[in-house]
Amino acid sequence: MGTDDPFGYPQDGEQPSRTVDVSPFAISTTAVTTGEFATFVDATGHLTQAETDGWSFVFAGLLPEPYEDTAGVVGAEWWRQVFGATWRHPEGRHSDTLTRSDHPVVHVSWNDAVAYCDWAGVRLPTEAEWEFAARGGLDQATYPWGDELDPAGEQRCNIWHGTFPSNNTCDDGWYGTAPVRAFEPNGYGLFNAVGNVWEWCADAFTRRPSSAAVIPCCAPNRQAPSSPRTMKGGSYLCHDSYCFRYRVAARSSNTPDTATGNIGFRIAR
């Protein structure tokens, strides 16, 4: 796992590549969907942290015009604090998920994801398991399907195209999240292992002590004192001009109480 490629982010702890052993495991072919999360909530009455806090982070480009003034993240003002944004209302109270039951659930914290897993009798994958599965049997390929982003002109993932954050040409067909099976699966049958939404892993996040903090463009955090947790895969907001993390080896982190409109999860056992 990891990479030795020069375009990797050493400050994230991606490098060097190294051999890691994992025991046999199973992992879901898709991220948990809004519909699946709704079943969990209906059965348990679970309130997500975004719901109890009353707000979550939403990408500004997804908000309608005009929209009420909202606080932005310093240095990444495209992230807005939106009151009423939850997994049921991804862009705020004016939005819903009635037509998005097959999209990945978002605005779920690591704590919310663990609560879902406890209910379902599963768990979050470790980072090593996630990366092993996302590689699809390929050896050190950049993406789950190989080294070319769009082989023969075929779009293979949901990321930002154009100029971030002002112009998304939507070459892949999506502006926000896409259905969990929107693109071809990798060699192990996993859909959307990169792009679409960041996916929580079980592990606490570690990197070299001298490294810089992860830049806030990937997903802002609430600066809670608890240990950051690993995220993998990148999201629909990733663009190689600032966040080339829609690669199998790439990694990021966030605090376990953070929820945003581009973080979801898949499950393992």
Side-chain angles (χ1 to χ4, degrees):
M1 63 186 298
T3 184
D4 296 315
D5 288 328
F7 49 69
Y9 291 102
Q11 71 269 24
D12 290 352
E14 287 185 39
Q15 301 168 336
S17 61
R18 62 272 186 199
T19 299
V20 177
D21 293 326
V22 295
S23 300
F25 66 97
I27 189 167
S28 57
T29 56
T30 71
V32 172
T33 66
T34 297
E36 290 169 332
F37 198 79
T39 300
F40 156 64
V41 171
D42 289 344
T44 64
H46 178 82
L47 289 175
T48 61
Q49 293 194 256
E51 289 172 300
T52 57
D53 291 344
W55 66 273
S56 187
F57 290 110
V58 176
F59 174 63
L62 292 171
L63 299 175
E65 294 286 351
Y67 195 77
E68 63 191 71
D69 289 338
T70 58
V73 175
V74 176
E77 285 75 14
W78 48 85
W79 279 115
R80 314 301 296 184
Q81 180 189 30
V82 175
F83 289 92
T86 69
W87 71 273
R88 296 182 189 272
H89 306 286
E91 291 81 53
R93 296 184 182 96
H94 65 279
S95 64
D96 60 53
T97 56
L98 296 178
T99 61
R100 289 185 265 184
S101 62
D102 61 346
H103 284 230
V105 66
V106 293
H107 296 295
V108 287
S109 68
W110 185 89
N111 295 324
D112 295 323
V114 169
Y116 176 96
C117 289
D118 289 344
W119 168 77
V122 294
R123 59 180 174 80
L124 292 175
T126 66
E127 181 180 5
E129 290 172 336
W130 188 100
E131 189 166 327
F132 182 93
R135 290 191 178 280
L138 302 180
D139 182 18
Q140 282 291 297
T142 304
Y143 308 108
W145 55 86
D147 289 320
E148 292 185 61
L149 177 60
D150 51 354
E154 180 185 2
Q155 298 295 322
R156 302 299 300 269
C157 64
N158 177 20
I159 56 174
W160 189 277
H161 295 271
T163 304
F164 186 87
S166 59
N167 178 43
N168 187 348
T169 60
C170 298
D171 290 354
D172 51 46
W174 301 94
Y175 190 85
T177 60
V180 295
R181 296 176 182 268
F183 301 91
E184 291 296 314
N186 72 3
Y188 289 156
L190 272 69
F191 292 84
N192 292 344
V194 299
N196 217 22
V197 294
W198 284 100
E199 297 180 8
W200 289 114
C201 292
D203 316 46
F205 184 82
T206 59
R207 58 178 176 256
R208 293 177 181 137
S210 61
S211 62
V214 175
I215 56 178
C217 58
C218 301
N221 65 52
R222 298 183 183 232
Q223 301 296 338
S226 49
S227 298
R229 302 292 173 169
T230 302
M231 305 187 305
K232 296 284 283 185
S235 81
Y236 60 86
L237 294 176
C238 282
H239 186 273
D240 62 6
S241 66
Y242 78 97
C243 185
F244 187 25
R245 290 182 174 87
Y246 47 96
R247 297 172 289 107
V248 179
R251 59 204 302 264
S252 188
S253 68
N254 225 313
T255 55
D257 65 341
T258 291
T260 75
N262 70 335
I263 304 178
F265 67 103
R266 73 178 68 215
I267 57 176
R269 61 165 56 93

